[in-house]
Amino acid sequence: MSTRAQTHTAVVEAREQLAPHLVRLTLGGAGLAGLVSSGVPDEWVGLIVPGQFQSRYYTVRSFDGVRLVLDVVVHEEGLVTEWAARDCVGDEVTITDPKGSFALPDDTTWLLLVGDLTAMPAMARIAEAHPDLTVRVWAEVPDELPGYLPRHADVTWLLPPGPGASDLATVVEKIDWPDGDGYFWMAGESAQMRAIRKHLMRDRGLSSTAYDVMGYWRGAQKRQPRAVDPGPVWRAGKAAGLTDQQIWERFDASHEEDR
Ligand SMILES: Cc1cc2nc3c(=O)[nH]c(=O)nc-3n(C[C@H](O)[C@H](O)[C@H](O)COP(=O)(O)OP(=O)(O)OC[C@H]3O[C@@H](n4cnc5c(N)ncnc54)[C@H](O)[C@@H]3O)c2cc1C
């Protein structure tokens, strides 16, 4: 059985600047007809933008069976960032099937959600999906986002300590944990998330079913410069039956002189 994710072609129908660092893309087109939501509120898709073959993950902000909405953080530099920062309406992209991870145990009465700007789409969807629960949110975001989270969520807005930096580990250590049964969900920079998982396991003694902490991006990771559009090379590699890794290795080896 193939483990390769099912892909769908979509077209960018609209681009809206929600805030200085957040762009909303509405995707449509016949290729989305086969896309099926997992129903899990933190579900995400892989997004491949024109001329690229590496994907980046984005939360499904909404999908009504016809239009798929993604809210994309525009940070300093990045493959999707640079594409989404421009007018990309009319561009064709590739999307993988949605997958989710959020798993609320029975008898939950409260939800704690913590994250940076990349986590806002998932925190909004999770909160919207649970109007019956007490929801507290800590959002570390550089921009004001009035109305982004539903009204029943009790939100603490925090400014990031600097570009690409986060202090969410300290924030979590200071949380006054509610009584009773609840669930903790968090996403942000991966190294911070590792520290928080340790804190939840060792200091708070939480069982692994009581929380979900996701590394959404890697601060230490540098983008590899590529002087040539890899799209045609990838298509030729695929036609020759190569894996993505083999295509990348050959591509990089043959373009060493471009760097
Ligand atoms: C399950 C999941 C769901 C996600 N949902 C969303 C979402 O809904 N919206 C969203 O915007 N992102 C989301 N992300 C995060 C997103 O996939 C990453 O931020 C991704 O690296 C962005 O790709 P890029 O091409 O812009 O930058 P890349 O080419 O991947 O990275 C280029 C450089 O930018 C740095 N970088 C990457 N992301 C950030 C950032 N957020 N802030 C500062 N520096 C950064 C990297 O360290 C690297 O040095 C999600 C990630 C996961 C795993």
Side-chain angles (χ1 to χ4, degrees):
M1 195 175 75
S2 167
T3 54
R4 190 176 296 164
Q6 171 83 38
T7 58
H8 309 264
T9 303
V11 176
V12 182
E13 292 186 346
R15 177 190 180 282
E16 184 190 353
Q17 192 83 42
L18 293 183
H21 297 90
L22 197 62
V23 166
R24 172 160 291 173
L25 300 180
T26 303
L27 311 183
L32 289 184
L35 195 81
V36 180
S37 166
S38 69
V40 181
D42 70 345
E43 70 182 341
W44 63 86
V45 291
L47 168 71
I48 304 170
V49 300
Q52 299 295 338
F53 55 86
Q54 286 187 319
S55 65
R56 297 290 186 266
Y57 293 123
Y58 288 89
T59 304
V60 176
R61 183 66 189 84
S62 66
F63 180 54
D64 63 5
V66 178
R67 292 205 167 72
L68 174 73
V69 175
L70 308 177
D71 288 348
V72 174
V73 175
V74 174
H75 51 93
E76 234 168 271
E77 56 147 18
L79 195 147
V80 173
T81 282
E82 283 154 38
W83 169 77
R86 300 191 302 264
D87 178 10
C88 51
V89 175
D91 282 2
E92 201 169 85
V93 296
T94 302
I95 295 290
T96 61
D97 269 338
K99 276 197 272 189
S101 153
F102 181 85
L104 201 65
D106 293 339
D107 303 326
T108 302
T109 59
W110 50 260
L111 261 177
L112 303 185
L113 308 175
V114 186
D116 62 15
L117 193 54
T118 61
M120 288 300 286
M123 295 201 292
R125 253 194 80 177
I126 293 168
E128 284 162 8
H130 296 287
D132 48 325
L133 298 184
T134 299
V135 180
R136 291 196 63 198
V137 180
W138 286 263
E140 188 183 67
V141 295
D143 307 326
E144 285 185 24
L145 292 168
Y148 193 89
L149 292 162
R151 287 166 71 96
H152 72 280
D154 174 5
V155 190
T156 304
W157 297 101
L158 306 154
L159 267 182
S166 166
D167 199 20
L168 286 176
T170 317
V171 170
V172 173
E173 281 166 21
K174 290 185 183 156
I175 288 178
D176 189 11
W177 223 255
D179 293 331
D181 293 326
Y183 191 65
F184 178 92
W185 184 97
M186 175 162 190
E189 199 282 317
S190 296
Q192 294 256 326
M193 298 307 110
R194 276 196 294 279
I196 285 156
R197 275 189 217 106
K198 273 190 201 152
H199 166 72
L200 297 178
M201 276 188 301
R202 291 182 192 167
D203 306 335
R204 292 221 176 260
L206 290 190
S207 99
S208 59
T209 54
Y211 68 90
D212 187 10
V213 175
M214 310 260 300
Y216 266 18
W217 58 279
R218 290 204 195 124
Q221 180 183 291
K222 281 289 154 236
R223 184 177 170 192
Q224 278 190 288
R226 290 196 162 79
V228 179
D229 180 356
V233 180
W234 179 75
R235 285 190 285 277
K238 282 288 158 192
L242 300 180
T243 65
D244 282 4
Q245 192 179 346
Q246 287 167 331
I247 298 170
W248 258 138
E249 283 167 3
R250 290 178 192 198
F251 178 80
D252 284 342
S254 63
H255 291 91
E256 274 305 319
E257 67 276 13
D258 293 330
R259 303 206 182 142

